Amino acid sequence: AAPAAAEEVLPPNKILFVQNLPEQVNEMMLKLLFQQFDQFEEVRLVPGKVGLAFVEFGSDVQAAVAMKSLQAFKVTPTHRMKISFAKA
């Protein structure tokens, strides 16, 4: 199979951009998932956009740890989270 188009690699950021969330996900569900990581601060769903959220940490280092740990985590059997650093 041909490789997918190269995705833009964004520099580290203390805010993560989370995609491919199921429609029924809410801030509390995401908070429970991400608060296990040090320096977790908050979760914000993107208003008017299904399946998108921002998760903020106290530092880009902690955000990177959470991103690495939860990348492709199955929120449901058919929804794997896609996590990247938010654009600055």
Side-chain angles (χ1 to χ4, degrees):
E7 292 190 29
E8 184 181 1
V9 176
L10 297 167
N13 190 328
K14 67 178 190 165
I15 301 173
L16 299 177
F17 179 53
V18 184
Q19 302 173 77
N20 199 37
L21 296 168
E23 200 171 320
Q24 66 272 25
V25 80
N26 61 41
E27 288 184 2
M28 181 57 70
M29 291 164 69
L30 290 174
K31 183 178 179 184
L32 288 171
L33 203 53
F34 284 94
Q35 72 183 1
Q36 65 185 302
F37 299 98
D38 288 344
Q39 298 183 27
F40 167 80
E41 290 186 0
E42 70 171 331
V43 168
R44 296 183 306 279
L45 293 175
V46 178
K49 299 275 188 183
V50 174
L52 302 178
F54 290 99
V55 182
E56 187 166 348
F57 286 86
S59 73
D60 57 359
V61 172
Q62 285 305 318
V65 169
M67 178 170 69
K68 186 176 181 189
S69 298
L70 292 175
Q71 190 66 264
F73 177 84
K74 282 187 172 182
V75 184
T76 70
T78 57
H79 289 84
R80 288 181 182 268
M81 284 196 301
K82 182 179 175 193
I83 307 171
S84 58
F85 290 114
K87 290 183 180 177

